[in-house]
Amino acid sequence: MDAQGRGRADDIDPADQWVLNPDTGDYELRLQASGPQSAVPGPRSRRKTGAAAPPRGRTAPARERKGAPEEAPDPGVPGPRRRRTPQEPPPGRRKGRPKKSRGKKVLVWTGGTVAFLLVGTSSAGYLYWKHLNGNITSVSDDGAGTGGFSKDRAINVLLVGTDKRTGEGNESYGDSDSPGHADTTVLLHVSKDRTNATAMSIPRDLITDIPDCPTEQEDGSTKVIPGTLNTRFNESLGQEGRTPSCTMRTVTALTGIKMDHFMIADFNAVKTLTTAVDGVDICLAKDIDDKDSKLKLSKGEHTIQGEDALAFVRTRHSVGFGGDLSRIQIQQQFLSSLMRKLKSNDTLTSPTKLLKLAEAGTEALTVDSKINGINKLRDLGMELGKFDTKNLAFTTVPVVDNPNEQVKSTVVLQEAKAKAMFALIKDDVSLTAVKQKEKKEKAEVAARLKGTKADPSEVRVRVLNGGAQSGSAQEVLNWLQVEEGVTKSENAGNSGATLEKTTVEYAPDQADQARRLADLMGLSGSAMKPGESVTNSQGLPAITLTLGEDFKGAGVSLTTPSTAPGDVEKSTADKVECAK
């Protein structure tokens, strides 16, 4: 079976022989219309004549891959089955009707980019696992990421669609002699509590700075690719030998948000994934006839796949204002629809679609070396698939036309709104009206802000820099003394440790001073750390203010908002919108 799920004319598609047993929640192989069924993922080593073969995949094409092959799946893979006594229950069977599994033993990764079948532990399952593992292509993140996602914190994944011409039938798309660009870029943020997610599109024509990029070469050496100031964002990939790790560094420099992983897709990803799910539903508010993208569709609802799907996400001249920002809206609507299709029962209960998705997903993507195997992708996908589609919000980096251009072809940040958007994502604030777990401070923490506040002139504080920009401690000191009347303050230098959040440490009898300082700094109760008093340079007891990486400047509140502002432009994945 290939990425589109096609088999030889004389074969029966193995996926068509797998059915979901509603009593067990397992997929089973239908051997004969009246014969017994064997448990997933494959038949025993000896099969009766005429029995269907287990799912088979293509031999993975030769590719360069970095890193060692991933370890085998869970215990029992592979190996001969032992004989069971009549009293032993079949493995994998559960008593009674099981609870419905969120994924039905299927990993469906959000955003419409990858889906994998979670196979079992028999020899057939192991072979298919090994086949899918061999499909995956990975490249180094060159230290640009966090080192990998964690289940106890928010997850940030960079999704990049490149316009490089690869694959049969793509000759008419993209740049003819180019290594490709970051043509479509989405920062996918999944909240720490997994109740919601934000997908923020970054315009390809955004003028920004591309930093220097240390990049691993084929011989194992590292080459620093020089950065470029005031250039298009899409130049961060492909050009000058830049790899996806350089796009990661550019996004971090732009937003202040560090990525955990990246996934790169080419034109084939759109075609194969939409074909695997038998098409994606779209809605058009008007007729479209775009000669550039070769999209010709009438007003109304359509189900598109393959070439038509690719043409739809690449069209721009026939929608909106005809520019890249209009195309971004089209792409967000498309991803919303694909997300709904991937999470639908029609997909999750179809072995044929799941096998096609497994092939298409593993073949179409290039991932970073931290997730270069099926098991690792499965673990990531299980985390990314926990939220409801109504709590997946699509938005775009706030931008305006470049004022330095006579003919408008690029955009620049709308500074205030863009910084506010980046802060919402960095502070893990949902753009949807979802009740977030662990967001509200506990009563005893919030109570630290309640009570009397000392006069500013009575606050004795040592200011330390624990992760803010150089010079921040002196900046705060000047502000406190000149503008706020906290004259008993001093610059105590660097803390020697990096803190993510700004904190105030104080002794019990200094709580009134700490509350005043928290009020001036705009700190939440969680930033107040009851502890011990310290001695300042005059030998007097003082509280300690340590500036963390979240410090935004003297006088700028550090209290994280609980909800997004009402003027944030967004759409959610659960709603059907018609392209205009």
Side-chain angles (χ1 to χ4, degrees):
M1 183 185 300
D2 66 11
Q4 280 84 5
R6 295 188 294 263
R8 297 196 311 268
D10 56 346
D11 284 343
I12 297 175
D13 189 344
D16 292 334
Q17 305 293 7
W18 294 86
V19 296
L20 179 69
N21 186 329
D23 295 326
T24 65
D26 290 335
Y27 286 108
E28 298 179 352
L29 183 67
R30 188 188 303 280
L31 297 179
Q32 296 178 356
S34 60
Q37 297 177 348
S38 60
V40 156
R44 301 178 187 275
S45 58
R46 293 184 179 181
R47 300 194 307 273
K48 296 180 181 180
T49 303
R56 296 172 297 171
R58 296 180 285 110
T59 301
R63 300 183 180 185
E64 285 190 9
R65 297 182 178 85
K66 301 186 185 295
E70 189 179 20
E71 70 279 2
D74 299 14
V77 179
R81 301 186 182 184
R82 64 183 178 86
R83 295 182 178 274
R84 298 192 303 268
T85 62
Q87 290 78 20
E88 285 186 275
R93 298 293 178 115
R94 291 167 287 186
K95 295 181 179 180
R97 182 177 295 275
K99 294 180 180 180
K100 290 185 178 180
S101 169
R102 180 185 295 272
K104 295 186 173 37
K105 294 191 176 183
V106 175
L107 183 160
V108 179
W109 180 65
T110 64
T113 317
V114 68
F116 297 110
L117 175 67
L118 294 184
V119 296
T121 58
S122 73
S123 296
Y126 169 74
L127 292 175
Y128 192 61
W129 167 88
K130 187 175 181 180
H131 160 70
L132 292 179
N133 214 50
N135 283 351
I136 300 171
T137 299
S138 67
V139 296
S140 175
D141 72 353
D142 297 312
T146 61
F149 78 96
S150 174
K151 293 185 178 181
D152 60 356
R153 58 179 171 81
I155 299 175
N156 296 307
V157 180
L158 191 64
L159 316 176
V160 182
T162 176
D163 57 1
K164 181 178 180 180
R165 294 186 181 186
T166 55
E168 183 179 353
N170 297 325
E171 297 82 2
S172 59
Y173 298 106
D175 296 340
S176 57
D177 297 312
S178 170
H181 303 79
D183 192 52
T184 299
T185 304
V186 176
L187 191 166
L188 177 66
H189 171 87
V190 181
S191 67
K192 177 181 178 180
D193 61 20
R194 307 297 187 256
T195 62
N196 63 90
T198 299
M200 181 179 69
S201 296
I202 302 175
R204 67 178 187 180
D205 295 326
L206 172 65
I207 296 299
T208 189
D209 295 339
I210 298 175
D212 292 345
C213 299
T215 306
E216 183 178 326
Q217 304 299 297
E218 292 184 2
D219 61 2
S221 63
T222 297
K223 175 184 178 182
V224 177
I225 300 175
T228 306
L229 301 179
N230 296 315
T231 189
R232 278 180 165 88
F233 174 84
N234 68 353
E235 299 282 327
S236 65
L237 177 65
Q239 311 306 300
E240 310 299 331
R242 293 179 178 126
T243 65
S245 67
C246 194
T247 307
M248 290 181 79
R249 294 185 194 278
T250 304
V251 170
T252 298
L254 175 70
T255 65
I257 302 167
K258 198 161 187 178
M259 300 295 103
D260 295 302
H261 299 288
F262 65 71
M263 294 185 176
I264 312 298
D266 58 17
F267 295 145
N268 286 330
V270 175
K271 294 194 290 187
T272 57
L273 285 171
T274 53
T275 301
V277 295
D278 292 338
V280 170
D281 299 328
I282 62 167
C283 177
L284 300 178
K286 62 180 181 180
D287 295 343
I288 289 183
D289 187 1
D290 187 344
K291 295 180 180 179
D292 290 328
S293 70
K294 300 178 177 60
L295 179 68
K296 186 174 183 179
L297 290 174
S298 60
K299 175 182 176 180
E301 297 180 354
H302 300 269
T303 300
I304 58 174
Q305 60 180 288
E307 293 290 346
D308 286 340
L310 179 58
F312 179 76
V313 298
R314 290 193 58 77
T315 190
R316 55 175 175 158
H317 299 301
S318 298
V319 293
F321 296 104
D324 186 52
L325 296 181
S326 297
R327 189 181 67 152
I328 285 176
Q329 294 179 345
I330 282 279
Q331 292 169 346
Q332 291 176 351
Q333 293 166 16
F334 174 82
L335 289 174
S336 294
S337 181
L338 182 54
M339 175 71 177
R340 293 191 296 271
K341 192 64 174 285
L342 287 172
K343 284 203 167 189
S344 69
N345 287 333
D346 183 52
T347 299
L348 294 178
T349 59
S350 169
T352 302
K353 291 181 182 178
L354 293 176
L355 286 173
K356 290 178 180 179
L357 281 169
E359 291 289 344
T362 52
E363 281 285 0
L365 294 175
T366 296
V367 300
D368 68 84
S369 52
K370 300 295 190 301
I371 46 172
N372 62 350
I374 289 295
N375 286 350
K376 297 173 184 177
L377 283 168
R378 174 199 62 194
D379 293 342
L380 174 60
M382 293 302 289
E383 295 301 306
L384 299 185
K386 289 181 178 179
F387 56 84
D388 194 287
T389 53
K390 69 181 180 180
N391 292 324
L392 170 59
F394 288 92
T395 189
T396 304
V397 173
V399 294
V400 294
D401 287 335
N402 189 343
N404 297 321
E405 293 179 334
Q406 292 277 342
V407 179
K408 305 302 181 184
S409 61
T410 63
V411 294
V412 295
L413 287 182
Q414 192 173 3
E415 290 288 344
K417 287 189 174 182
K419 288 182 178 179
M421 175 64 70
F422 301 155
L424 289 173
I425 295 176
K426 191 172 183 179
D427 292 334
D428 202 23
V429 178
S430 175
L431 299 189
T432 60
V434 61
K435 294 181 179 179
Q436 300 180 70
K437 305 171 185 175
E438 303 177 11
K439 281 296 179 187
K440 295 183 179 180
E441 295 178 333
K442 294 181 180 179
E444 60 270 24
V445 174
R448 295 172 187 168
L449 295 172
K450 298 178 180 179
T452 59
K453 299 180 181 69
D455 188 88
S457 63
E458 298 303 317
V459 176
R460 188 177 289 111
V461 57
R462 299 171 71 247
V463 182
L464 292 166
N465 192 330
Q469 291 185 349
S470 178
S472 294
Q474 188 61 43
E475 178 189 349
V476 169
L477 182 66
N478 294 339
W479 173 72
L480 287 173
Q481 293 182 342
V482 177
E483 298 188 31
E484 301 299 336
V486 183
T487 55
K488 297 177 181 179
S489 52
E490 64 182 32
N491 184 348
N494 293 324
S495 67
T498 300
L499 298 181
E500 184 178 346
K501 302 289 185 180
T502 297
T503 63
V504 176
E505 187 173 358
Y506 58 97
D509 61 348
Q510 298 171 318
D512 58 341
Q513 296 184 48
R515 284 192 286 268
R516 172 59 68 188
L517 187 61
D519 181 58
L520 294 174
M521 295 289 296
L523 295 172
S524 64
S526 62
M528 301 177 66
K529 306 295 182 184
E532 298 180 356
S533 176
V534 295
T535 303
N536 67 9
S537 60
Q538 297 176 336
L540 298 174
I543 63 179
T544 302
L545 170 65
T546 305
L547 305 177
E549 293 178 324
D550 63 336
F551 177 72
K552 301 179 179 68
V556 180
S557 176
L558 292 174
T559 300
T560 301
S562 58
T563 59
D567 61 349
V568 173
E569 295 185 7
K570 64 181 184 295
S571 62
T572 53
D574 63 317
K575 296 180 180 179
V576 178
E577 297 187 20
C578 294
K580 300 178 181 179

